[in-house]
Amino acid sequence: MAGPGGGCRGCRSAGGGGGGGHGAWGHRRPRRWPSPRVPAGAQQSATVATPVSGASPDLLPRFLLEPEDVYIVKNKPVSLACRATPATQIYFKCNGEWVHQGDHVTQHSTDRSTGERRLSRRGSRQQPRSRGATRILFGGCTGPGTRGELSWVAGAHVLPPVPGLPVMEVRIEITRQQVEKIFGLEEYWCQCVAWSSSGTTKSQKAFVRIAYLRKNFEQEPTAREVSIEQGIVLPCRPPEGIPPAEVEWLRNEELVDPALDANVYVTPEHSLVLRQARLADTANYTCVAKNIVARRRSASAAITVYVNGGWSTWTQWSGCSTSCGRGWQKRSRTCTNPTPLNGGAFCEGQNVQKSACTTLCPVDGAWSEWSKWSVCGTECTHWRSRECSEPAPRNGGQECHGAELETRNCTSELCSPAAQGAEDVALYVGLIAVAVCLVLLLLVGVLVYCRKKGGLDADVADSSILTAGFQPVSIKPSKADNPSLLTIQPDLSTATMTYQGSLCPRQDGPAKLQLPNGHLLSPLGAGRHTLHHSSPAAEGADFVARLSTQSYFRSLPRGNTNMAYGTFNFLGGRLMIPNTGISLLIPPDAIPRGKIYEVYLTLHKHEEVRLPLAGCQTLLSPIVSCGPPGVLLTRPAILAMGHCVEASAENWSLRLKKQSCEGTWEDVLQLGAEPCTELYYCQLEAQACYIFTEQLGRFALVGESLSMAASKRLKLVLFAPAACPSLEYNIRVYCLSDTQDALKEVIQLEKQMGGQLIGAPRVLHFKDSYHNLRLSIHDMPSSLWKSKLLASYQEIPFYHIWSGLQPYLHCTFTLERLSPSTCELACKIWIWQVEGDGQSFTINFNIAKDTRFSDWLVPDSEVGSPALVGPSAFKIPFLIRQKIISSLDTPCARGADWRTLAQKLNLDSHLSFYASKPSPTAMILNLWEARHFPNGNLSQLAAAVAEVGKQDGALFAVSEAEC
């Protein structure tokens, strides 16, 4: 082709070359037609042209369409195509081997646009020659003697028609079987090779891959609970696939678009990031992976954005509750700044503060005694007086009514008429003196008026000279006139306290007013999360009064030591009756969200509740009520109480009894019987039983002996007076059920009687042998003491003990000192069942000063808080608890699940009961909480979880103080 200025580019002008563009080639690189763009990153070879020696590079095949990468979906074959012009032949080569000619589908056509373009170029290549002729060029170079001349037309421009270039298109199909033959060796690729008379051209490589998308995600998002404004990262690693899967996120089944929400973005690793959690972000999030083969969804992750509660400011202190004397004033605040939402922590601390206050009472005045009559005066009268001082009126009290001075006639001989004249003279002198004083005062007034009138400065006048002749009248102020008595305010800084309010009403303190240490300011229990509604004695009495209106619980005790109550929500909590071993655990989510229950726990005295027993049945536990009955619980609560049975399947038939709304007692569970009911389950241990129940009510554990070897535990306790002013000395021996509540009742009784413990309690196994219990005293020094017991022993009937309806029985040994100076007592007391077990107490102590067993008497002030609400009621931190539940609830083929944990904790006696619940692991952890609060060892629990093999042992790598 001619370049600018009529020269020849890249061609030799020597003659003798072949016609039709077959002249000799120079050293110029063959010209390549533009090829389609190669995708970035694809390992493909670009189009390569190989010209034939001496051929025109403009006639090398160029590809109008090159094969591209394709994916085989399932078993559908794929098609590869290429199109080139000018081309005489096109064949595919796959993985270095030629595809059989019969597998090609060929189609021929003509490129009309190419012909028109060359006509245009021919028109542009007209160059004037000598002798007035024009030479038209086509496809070659011009020069003297070249064969590129088509025609010579002298003086005219006649061009013959030029046809378009031939176009050839070839297609092949690739099947899955062809690709799988070389799977694992190398990738399957194909390439087009096109021929023309000028040479060959190779297309880019096209890779054929089998598309797939695996089912399981490499990492799925997990549920989380986060505080508001906290950042959230939800990881997602999609399943392996070809082509790689695209990832998108759904929020409650709606597409998450980071372009529409600046708070959300997706990382290159496909994790969803919420910069700051909002309440609106509480939703279920799903990671979706898709490619041309399939679309996969991860498990939904529930994100809960919670708001921890915050206290509002304190209100103003209320007025004092009494208008006279000692009372209280209070102020309050609410957990509304902000209000806890979505399970956020409730505000810690008290919502009400109470402070002692004192209002001074008004005191009305009262007259003192009359003085003695004065001597009879000259007027034949005498007088007497009294003062309003016993007491004097104060604090707004009323003044005394009546006369302060009383006069009357007297008939004394000293009365003489001669003295009448002297008295008249004195009267007149007094009147004159008064008149003089009035004149002087008038003069002083006139003088002051004149000075002001004359414009004199008031500071110039010395007023002392005007008043020098007058002495001030001395009036003795009364106590009622002291204004400070009316302005005394209570010192709230010394009396203010933080009111937590224990759940059991407190007894009033002494009547003496002591602001810093009054009963309103008495130390509370150790509980930090007592309930906001707890109140002093008046509120406790009101609560018990409301309960007494229910026909089912008319016999609730009016005392406060055997009852606890509180208000609970879905966070759960715990009620405890101190020093009894009785507690009620309300697990998290046992109360439906949005519900608030006022729950109580009561220990009944046996004489208040009638429990019918038949045959060989015996009461083995205290009678305990928890309620209110009929409330909806979504998870079982756990009632813990002591028992006194030596359990064995061959000797006992144990039943859990519950009182119905009609007042009848029903058997709701037989211990050891299979299958276990879904409503009740009882974990019986050596000294306590733990009852799982979704229905609150009144419960008792009753046993029926199956043989004479069946035995129950009795606790033997010895008490005596702390002081012995007389010669008689009583030793009281108590035989009571071996439960904490029975011992507490005896200790309280002895405190009221002024008794002291004189020996460590002992345990006696009392058998169902119909033999009575005998007690005797021996080895007492006859020279110092003597016994008033007429018989050699005392006896308690068998049935009185075996029925269990009398929690404690006692016998008294009355001794007499032979001398008041005798203080040392040494003797032995034997207690035994006829043909059965026995115990002996060796007594050797000083009755006047020996207090070695006083530690057994636990003071009431040392008991803990009777109620705990929320996380403080549980030993296991909430997040760790949730991790254990989510890890062990899912059954595992290797056994690394909740069943193994139950075996490690020795709680596998009734796995069927745990399996019947939505979360078996939660049931096991709840039972662990009930057994080990508050002194549970988290390290031992962590070790048990670590041994299961599925839970990470580092989960509990925190101190108990941090928990």
Side-chain angles (χ1 to χ4, degrees):
M1 296 178 63
C8 181
R9 298 179 57 192
C11 297
R12 293 182 179 179
S13 59
H22 293 281
W25 286 85
H27 295 286
R28 176 175 172 268
R29 291 184 62 190
R31 183 167 179 264
R32 291 168 54 191
W33 292 89
S35 60
R37 179 177 61 87
V38 179
Q43 298 178 355
Q44 299 173 346
S45 60
T47 304
V48 178
T50 306
V52 176
S53 177
S56 171
D58 286 345
L59 293 179
L60 285 174
R62 67 181 180 87
F63 285 98
L64 304 176
L65 175 66
E66 294 187 75
E68 296 181 350
D69 293 349
V70 291
Y71 297 94
I72 296 178
V73 178
K74 298 182 179 178
N75 292 319
K76 297 179 181 180
V78 295
S79 177
L80 298 179
C82 62
R83 186 167 58 247
T85 182
T88 58
Q89 287 184 345
I90 301 176
Y91 289 101
F92 274 93
K93 179 186 287 187
C94 294
N95 286 81
E97 296 183 1
W98 293 103
V99 178
H100 192 273
Q101 184 177 3
D103 295 334
H104 292 72
V105 178
T106 305
Q107 182 178 359
H108 297 272
S109 62
T110 302
D111 188 356
R112 300 294 182 185
S113 63
T114 306
E116 292 174 359
R117 185 165 54 252
R118 291 208 180 258
L119 288 175
S120 175
R121 291 175 62 187
R122 285 172 58 192
S124 67
R125 293 298 181 182
Q126 294 178 5
Q127 297 181 2
R129 305 296 295 177
S130 61
R131 287 178 259 169
T134 301
R135 186 168 55 180
I136 313 275
L137 303 180
F138 174 68
C141 296
T142 61
T146 60
R147 295 187 181 183
E149 302 175 3
L150 294 178
S151 63
W152 288 94
V153 181
H157 300 280
V158 178
L159 299 178
V162 178
L165 295 179
V167 177
M168 189 175 187
E169 183 176 344
V170 176
R171 293 179 180 272
I172 63 171
E173 285 191 350
I174 306 297
T175 64
R176 185 185 184 100
Q177 289 76 13
Q178 291 175 270
V179 178
E180 288 177 343
K181 284 181 181 180
I182 62 168
F183 179 74
L185 302 177
E186 58 177 329
E187 288 194 290
Y188 194 94
W189 58 269
C190 291
Q191 186 179 34
C192 271
V193 182
W195 282 267
S196 72
S197 59
S198 299
T200 62
T201 304
K202 294 181 180 179
S203 71
Q204 65 184 8
K205 288 183 178 180
F207 290 88
V208 182
R209 300 179 177 92
I210 298 176
Y212 67 92
L213 183 62
R214 300 196 185 280
K215 292 183 178 181
N216 296 327
F217 280 72
E218 296 183 5
Q219 185 179 10
E220 293 184 294
T222 56
R224 292 184 58 189
E225 292 185 353
V226 297
S227 177
I228 193 168
E229 296 184 356
Q230 180 181 343
I232 307 174
V233 178
L234 294 176
C236 178
R237 293 171 58 190
E240 179 186 353
I242 294 178
E246 298 179 357
V247 173
E248 62 184 18
W249 285 87
L250 300 180
R251 178 196 287 138
N252 287 341
E253 303 304 322
E254 294 184 0
L255 182 65
V256 176
D257 189 356
L260 301 178
D261 190 351
N263 191 48
V264 177
Y265 71 93
V266 180
T267 66
E269 293 79 19
H270 310 299
S271 297
L272 180 65
V273 178
L274 304 179
R275 291 183 174 90
Q276 287 186 330
R278 304 160 298 189
L279 288 177
D281 294 325
T282 299
N284 293 322
Y285 289 82
T286 308
C287 181
V288 178
K290 62 181 179 179
N291 64 3
I292 59 176
V293 179
R295 186 173 186 266
R296 311 290 188 200
R297 291 168 55 98
S298 70
S300 295
I303 299 299
T304 302
V305 180
Y306 61 85
V307 179
N308 291 326
W311 288 115
S312 64
T313 57
W314 288 103
T315 61
Q316 296 295 326
W317 287 102
S318 66
C320 198
S321 60
T322 59
S323 59
C324 173
R326 185 181 182 185
W328 54 267
Q329 57 184 169
K330 67 179 181 179
R331 63 177 183 175
S332 61
R333 58 180 178 176
T334 57
C335 189
T336 56
N337 187 29
T339 302
L341 295 174
N342 296 336
F346 195 79
C347 303
E348 292 189 4
Q350 67 286 345
N351 68 325
V352 176
Q353 280 186 348
K354 288 190 177 181
S355 171
C357 60
T358 302
T359 303
L360 297 178
C361 298
V363 177
D364 295 336
W367 292 111
S368 63
E369 296 291 333
W370 287 102
S371 64
K372 293 183 179 180
W373 289 100
S374 65
V375 179
C376 192
T378 56
E379 300 96 351
C380 296
T381 61
H382 60 175
W383 56 271
R384 64 178 181 176
S385 63
R386 59 181 179 178
E387 293 182 351
C388 187
S389 59
E390 294 185 4
R394 60 180 181 271
N395 305 332
Q398 295 183 358
E399 295 286 341
C400 300
H401 296 286
E404 183 177 5
L405 185 67
E406 183 182 10
T407 61
R408 68 179 180 180
N409 292 329
C410 60
T411 56
S412 173
E413 296 179 356
L414 297 179
C415 259
S416 61
Q420 186 69 29
E423 289 291 303
D424 292 341
V425 173
L427 177 62
Y428 296 145
V429 171
L431 293 175
I432 294 172
V434 171
V436 171
C437 290
L438 291 176
V439 171
L440 289 176
L441 287 175
L442 181 61
L443 291 175
V444 170
V446 171
L447 179 62
V448 171
Y449 175 80
C450 292
R451 286 192 176 186
K452 288 185 178 181
K453 199 72 174 177
L456 296 177
D457 192 349
D459 294 337
V460 176
D462 185 2
S463 62
S464 62
I465 63 174
L466 303 178
T467 60
F470 299 93
Q471 297 295 329
V473 180
S474 177
I475 301 176
K476 181 180 179 181
S478 67
K479 295 181 180 180
D481 297 327
N482 189 352
S484 64
L485 295 178
L486 300 178
T487 58
I488 295 177
Q489 297 296 329
D491 185 5
L492 300 181
S493 62
T494 61
T496 301
M497 60 166 285
T498 299
Y499 176 67
Q500 286 180 282
S502 76
L503 294 172
C504 289
R506 297 184 294 274
Q507 299 295 331
D508 290 339
K512 182 179 180 181
L513 179 62
Q514 297 178 354
L515 287 179
N517 298 310
H519 74 281
L520 290 176
L521 308 176
S522 58
L524 299 178
R528 295 170 298 168
H529 297 276
T530 51
L531 300 181
H532 65 275
H533 76 287
S534 303
S535 58
E539 296 180 0
D542 177 68
F543 177 75
V544 175
R546 284 188 283 113
L547 291 179
S548 65
T549 59
Q550 305 177 20
S551 59
Y552 176 39
F553 287 104
R554 289 178 178 172
S555 59
L556 281 176
R558 295 302 186 267
N560 297 321
T561 58
N562 292 333
M563 182 177 181
Y565 64 95
T567 302
F568 300 91
N569 59 8
F570 71 96
L571 294 176
R574 186 187 303 264
L575 287 176
M576 296 173 290
I577 302 179
N579 299 328
T580 63
I582 299 172
S583 65
L584 178 66
L585 178 71
I586 304 174
D589 291 324
I591 297 176
R593 290 177 180 257
K595 300 284 187 180
I596 297 178
Y597 293 160
E598 190 177 48
V599 182
Y600 60 83
L601 180 66
T602 303
L603 168 64
H604 294 278
K605 293 185 178 180
H606 292 70
E607 61 268 18
E608 296 172 342
V609 179
R610 182 177 179 274
L611 176 63
L613 298 176
C616 299
Q617 289 184 342
T618 176
L619 180 62
L620 301 173
S621 74
I623 301 175
V624 178
S625 291
C626 55
V631 298
L632 174 64
L633 295 180
T634 57
R635 287 173 174 79
I638 300 180
L639 175 64
M641 57 185 179
H643 67 80
C644 60
V645 62
E646 286 294 311
S648 61
E650 60 271 16
N651 296 330
W652 284 100
S653 173
L654 302 177
R655 287 178 169 82
L656 179 66
K657 285 184 174 290
K658 180 175 182 290
Q659 191 174 21
S660 65
C661 296
E662 293 77 18
T664 60
W665 288 87
E666 302 171 349
D667 295 337
V668 295
L669 179 67
Q670 182 174 356
L671 277 65
E674 294 290 349
C676 183
T677 66
E678 294 186 1
L679 293 178
Y680 304 94
Y681 167 65
C682 181
Q683 175 76 20
L684 188 68
E685 297 187 1
Q687 295 184 339
C689 59
Y690 302 91
I691 301 169
F692 289 73
T693 175
E694 296 182 13
Q695 298 179 357
L696 303 183
R698 184 174 294 168
F699 296 90
L701 183 65
V702 174
E704 183 175 1
S705 63
L706 302 179
S707 68
M708 296 182 66
S711 65
K712 57 189 296 186
R713 297 188 310 275
L714 298 181
K715 180 156 287 188
L716 308 176
V717 191
L718 273 62
F719 281 90
C724 183
S726 64
L727 295 178
E728 285 190 354
Y729 191 76
N730 296 323
I731 298 178
R732 294 180 290 275
V733 182
Y734 289 87
C735 302
L736 51 101
S737 299
D738 186 18
T739 57
Q740 294 184 39
D741 62 286
L743 180 61
K744 174 186 176 181
E745 188 172 357
V746 170
I747 290 176
Q748 290 178 341
L749 177 63
E750 283 294 329
K751 279 185 177 181
Q752 298 173 1
M753 298 172 59
Q756 66 171 342
L757 193 67
I758 62 173
R762 304 255 180 112
V763 174
L764 174 72
H765 293 87
F766 192 76
K767 295 183 179 181
D768 183 17
S769 61
Y770 297 98
H771 291 295
N772 299 336
L773 188 70
R774 291 182 178 178
L775 303 91
S776 62
I777 187 168
H778 306 275
D779 301 337
M780 187 171 51
S782 58
S783 60
L784 301 176
W785 298 85
K786 71 175 181 179
S787 173
K788 289 190 174 183
L789 183 66
L790 300 179
S792 58
Y793 59 85
Q794 300 187 65
E795 201 168 50
I796 301 177
F798 167 82
Y799 184 75
H800 290 179
I801 299 175
W802 188 254
S803 66
L805 297 177
Q806 302 182 44
Y808 60 88
L809 300 164
H810 80 275
C811 291
T812 301
F813 292 96
T814 302
L815 309 179
E816 184 178 0
R817 293 183 292 176
L818 300 181
S819 170
S821 61
T822 302
C823 293
E824 296 293 332
L825 174 62
C827 64
K828 287 185 179 181
I829 294 180
W830 286 85
I831 306 169
W832 76 100
Q833 185 181 15
V834 179
E835 299 182 6
D837 192 15
Q839 290 285 358
S840 67
F841 290 82
T842 300
I843 300 175
N844 188 356
F845 77 109
N846 189 302
I847 64 175
K849 58 183 179 181
D850 199 337
T851 59
R852 75 185 80 168
F853 299 104
S854 59
D855 294 339
W856 287 85
L857 306 179
V858 180
D860 291 339
S861 60
E862 293 183 7
V863 301
S865 173
L868 295 172
V869 177
S872 63
F874 304 95
K875 189 70 176 175
I876 306 173
F878 181 79
L879 292 180
I880 294 179
R881 170 189 170 93
Q882 293 302 107
K883 288 182 181 179
I884 298 175
I885 292 174
S886 60
S887 300
L888 301 185
D889 267 349
T890 304
C892 181
R894 300 188 306 271
D897 53 19
W898 60 271
R899 293 167 294 186
T900 307
L901 178 63
Q903 294 174 358
K904 297 293 183 183
L905 300 178
N906 297 321
L907 301 177
D908 55 342
S909 57
H910 284 291
L911 295 179
S912 59
F913 175 78
Y914 303 141
S916 66
K917 301 302 176 184
S919 176
T921 310
M923 297 296 103
I924 297 173
L925 296 182
N926 293 341
L927 181 55
W928 188 91
E929 289 276 7
R931 296 172 68 199
H932 296 90
F933 188 88
N935 301 318
N937 192 335
L938 282 178
S939 300
Q940 294 180 356
L941 178 60
V945 173
E947 289 179 6
V948 173
K950 187 174 181 181
Q951 179 66 38
D952 183 7
L955 184 67
F956 286 88
V958 293
S959 66
E960 294 193 15
E962 293 173 343
C963 294

